Amino acid sequence: MTMQPILTQHVREPNSFTLDFYLRHQGYEGLKKALALPPNDIIEMVKQSGLRGRGGAGFPTGMKWQFVLKDTPKPKYIACNADESEPGTFKDHVLMERNPHLLIEGCAIACYAIGAKVAYIYIRGEFYHVQLALERALDEAYAAGWLGKNIQGSGFDCDVYVHRGAGAYEAGEETALLESLEGKRAQPRIKPPFPAVAGLYGCPTAVNNVETLCNVPLIVKNGAEWFTALGPEKNGGPKLYCISGHVARPGVYETSMSTTMKDLVFGADFAQGMANGRRLKAVIPGGSSVPILLPDQLDVPASFDGIQKAGSLLGSAGAIVMDDTTCMVWLAENLLHFYQHESCGKCTPCREGTDWLLKILRRIERGEGEMRDLDLLQSVADNINGKTLCAFGDAAATPVLTTLKHFRHEFEAHVREGGCPLHAGWRRRGTAAAAH
Amino acid sequence: MSFHPKMPYGTGWHRSERKLAELGPEFAYTPENQARFDAIVKRYPPEHRRSAILPALHLVQAQQGYITGHAMTFVAGQIGCTPADVEDVVSYYTMFFTQPVGTYVLYVCRTLSCALCGAERLTEALEEKLGIRAGQTDATGTFTLLEVECLGACDRAPVVMVNDEWHECARPEDAAALVDALRERGTAALTGCHLCVERRNGQ
Ligand SMILES: Cc1cc2nc3c(=O)[nH]c(=O)nc-3n(C[C@H](O)[C@H](O)[C@H](O)COP(=O)(O)O)c2cc1C
Ligand code: SF4
Ligand code: FES
């Protein structure tokens, strides 16, 4: 099933990012409508819509807002998560670059709903060109009275600022993001207390992903029922999918969550199947942190619940597609390099474990592994999984656990044959050992 | 970097590692950067000036190319925190340099989607052309080559960031030409982000 794009309807048109363009396409009507309603009605509406967080966990946004402490003399904050660092994920920057006013409108409505006056958009440091686009849009919004004091004569004040990170995947974790916003290392906090109670500067805060906030103006404008009707039960609304890897047409695709994963990979409207006519080997459906799906597991709706039933997670909806030239030991090594590098170092199982996993994987890939290394991998991964301060630990263990589960024979072949039997032409010429 | 006794040290960099920065030359913002900083710091509640550390450091790096001990002390003075607080931040984030780097810093994405599309070969080709290994700066101080993790543009793999700008779909066979073009035309040689419809249409 296909759906007309909504969030990304105009992104390929010239000047789609300007205020003029946005206003010509019913821009800021959601905010206008919201400001005429009591804040609680907005929260209720978002709850009714069933909007689930697009950042990774799929937690209902309305509920998150409802948890934000009401009776407190402290200021409240919206923190928009624009860190977009999950490997395989590249959707939020499309929205920010080509439809920034939608995000700004979403931030303003979110502030109004929870009683905040300031929203910070935390953007990853590598997105400097995106930041410039956002800041240009913010200037326009301020000048036209869609932000600032007494917005459109409503008496509501709201400021939105962009805050630039400086290279740290872990800054995407919500409490680490808040630490980073406070000018510290991006290392997570112990939860509880949750940000809704004690977030930025110890004040009640809602942390929401860019795509999540971009859905809010649509819900306010078109109603909760319209939103739910766009997708399967509990998985309503438009969804952005990022498809990369060995596909013919990688890119960002917007569709309903009733679309199947198989369609996203092979459909004519989507990634159009494998590049170079190769055979599909595996798909990681939700960014690098989730379990692998095999080709025969793809005929399921690419919804939060559908992918979970298939044995993986939708995560950030970043599908990475691999063809049959891909060595799964190499894949685990590549991803563990990522996790070893990005571990924030705050808790032991993750800081030490990712180092060990990478070392063992390198040894096996190089052909110096032994059969008992497979059990060692399993054991180290098991000792990270579920035993860390933040969900990064589980994410780091996953590539090892999932490749061992589905492709144990490839690990064994490396040990038996003393090297990688599947050294594809797109890899380093030397052995993997030459990589640092 | 592991703290485990059986883990050999010196195998690479990790953000939990502590390296003292060199003091370097005296540092102060240019008047323009001072004005920028003064405007940015107002975005945060007055009792939370510390939030402005990251923007303050981005300004330092834009002005001086890298961040020295003197610059950290200067930022601490601007913020009202200790130099150690600043150093703590500098040493954590990968985009901050405490050593001089080349005029062009090439950040080649090495993570899965880019690697599947030839990023390893791209790095090899750049190493060959520049005569350096990833992590090094060439003798003329023009290029620094770095391997980095996912840049969030995986559909246009392999992706290279050059300073703050993007170059997409960087094929290994075009690596040498890219280096030459950068030498000749600077960052105008880059493709930029594919979403800049206007730039492509020459508007
Ligand atoms: C290690 C780690 C990295 C994360 N990175 C991101 C990210 O880059 N962008 C994002 O929106 N959420 C990220 N998240 C999820 C956030 O913690 C949080 O759940 C999300 O911002 C909540 O917003 P949502 O409810 O709108 O999805 C990450 C989580 C973890 C554990
Ligand atoms: S699990 Fe890893 S990233 Fe998360 S707090 Fe522990 S060390 Fe840091
Ligand atoms: S893997 Fe290279 S940009 Fe994402």
Side-chain angles (χ1 to χ4, degrees), chain B residues 142-153:
Chain B
T142 314
F143 294 99
T144 299
L145 181 63
L146 297 176
E147 280 186 298
V148 294
E149 302 293 350
C150 180
L151 289 168

Side-chain angles (χ1 to χ4, degrees), chain A residues 53-56 64 81 83-85 169-170 172-174 207-209 212 391-392:
Chain A
R54 272 37 175 168
K64 194 183 265 187
N81 193 340
D83 194 57
E84 187 142 89
S85 300
Y169 167 64
E170 184 56 9
E173 199 279 342
E174 54 183 5
V207 184
N208 292 113
N209 168 261
T212 311
F392 182 107

Side-chain angles (χ1 to χ4, degrees), chain A residues 85-90 124 244 320, chain B residues 108-115 119 148-159 166:
Chain A
S85 300
E86 176 75 18
T89 312
F90 41 90
R124 62 179 298 181
S244 63
I320 308 172
Chain B
V108 184
C109 173
R110 62 164 311 284
T111 314
L112 187 54
S113 301
C114 284
V148 294
E149 302 293 350
C150 180
L151 289 168
C154 329
D155 52 340
R156 286 140 282 143
V159 185
W166 278 17

Side-chain angles (χ1 to χ4, degrees), chain B residues 74-102:
Chain B
F74 174 82
V75 167
Q78 295 281 319
I79 299 283
C81 63
T82 67
D85 288 335
V86 180
E87 193 186 345
D88 188 47
V89 170
V90 172
S91 57
Y92 181 84
Y93 294 91
T94 52
M95 287 180 75
F96 293 137
F97 300 120
T98 49
Q99 297 287 325
V101 288

Side-chain angles (χ1 to χ4, degrees), chain B residues 42-111:
Chain B
K42 290 204 190 78
R43 297 174 181 173
Y44 309 97
E47 65 277 26
H48 297 291
R49 282 176 75 89
R50 192 170 164 165
S51 277
I53 288 189
L54 285 184
L57 290 169
H58 279 301
L59 285 174
V60 170
Q61 193 154 294
Q63 180 176 323
Q64 186 176 257
Y66 69 112
I67 300 170
T68 56
H70 274 310
M72 292 183 210
T73 309
F74 174 82
V75 167
Q78 295 281 319
I79 299 283
C81 63
T82 67
D85 288 335
V86 180
E87 193 186 345
D88 188 47
V89 170
V90 172
S91 57
Y92 181 84
Y93 294 91
T94 52
M95 287 180 75
F96 293 137
F97 300 120
T98 49
Q99 297 287 325
V101 288
T103 316
Y104 301 110
V105 182
L106 309 181
Y107 304 80
V108 184
C109 173
R110 62 164 311 284
T111 314

Side-chain angles (χ1 to χ4, degrees), chain B:
Chain B
M1 177 61 62
S2 168
F3 300 142
H4 192 282
K6 283 198 178 162
M7 184 63 87
Y9 284 77
T11 49
W13 174 89
H14 193 276
R15 62 189 59 201
S16 61
E17 195 179 347
R18 185 151 194 260
K19 264 200 209 116
L20 288 179
E22 282 162 34
L23 278 179
E26 292 292 327
F27 184 88
Y29 280 147
T30 58
E32 299 81 46
N33 280 340
Q34 186 66 53
R36 284 192 190 110
F37 174 80
D38 293 341
I40 288 171
V41 84
K42 290 204 190 78
R43 297 174 181 173
Y44 309 97
E47 65 277 26
H48 297 291
R49 282 176 75 89
R50 192 170 164 165
S51 277
I53 288 189
L54 285 184
L57 290 169
H58 279 301
L59 285 174
V60 170
Q61 193 154 294
Q63 180 176 323
Q64 186 176 257
Y66 69 112
I67 300 170
T68 56
H70 274 310
M72 292 183 210
T73 309
F74 174 82
V75 167
Q78 295 281 319
I79 299 283
C81 63
T82 67
D85 288 335
V86 180
E87 193 186 345
D88 188 47
V89 170
V90 172
S91 57
Y92 181 84
Y93 294 91
T94 52
M95 287 180 75
F96 293 137
F97 300 120
T98 49
Q99 297 287 325
V101 288
T103 316
Y104 301 110
V105 182
L106 309 181
Y107 304 80
V108 184
C109 173
R110 62 164 311 284
T111 314
L112 187 54
S113 301
C114 284
L116 291 171
C117 297
E120 293 186 356
R121 285 281 160 109
L122 176 63
T123 302
E124 271 184 343
L126 287 169
E127 285 178 336
E128 204 171 298
K129 173 74 180 172
L130 295 170
I132 52 174
R133 298 297 303 262
Q136 298 176 336
T137 300
D138 73 346
T140 62
T142 314
F143 294 99
T144 299
L145 181 63
L146 297 176
E147 280 186 298
V148 294
E149 302 293 350
C150 180
L151 289 168
C154 329
D155 52 340
R156 286 140 282 143
V159 185
V160 187
M161 188 169 80
V162 181
N163 300 346
D164 281 328
E165 296 193 46
W166 278 17
H167 188 71
E168 304 176 338
C169 305
R171 299 183 311 169
E173 53 269 38
D174 302 336
L178 175 66
V179 169
D180 291 335
L182 272 169
R183 275 211 181 94
E184 276 164 36
R185 295 190 283 138
T187 51
L190 305 173
T191 60
C193 176
H194 76 304
L195 286 168
C196 293
V197 180
E198 292 73 17
R199 180 168 138 170
R200 221 171 28 243
N201 297 344
Q203 284 172 16

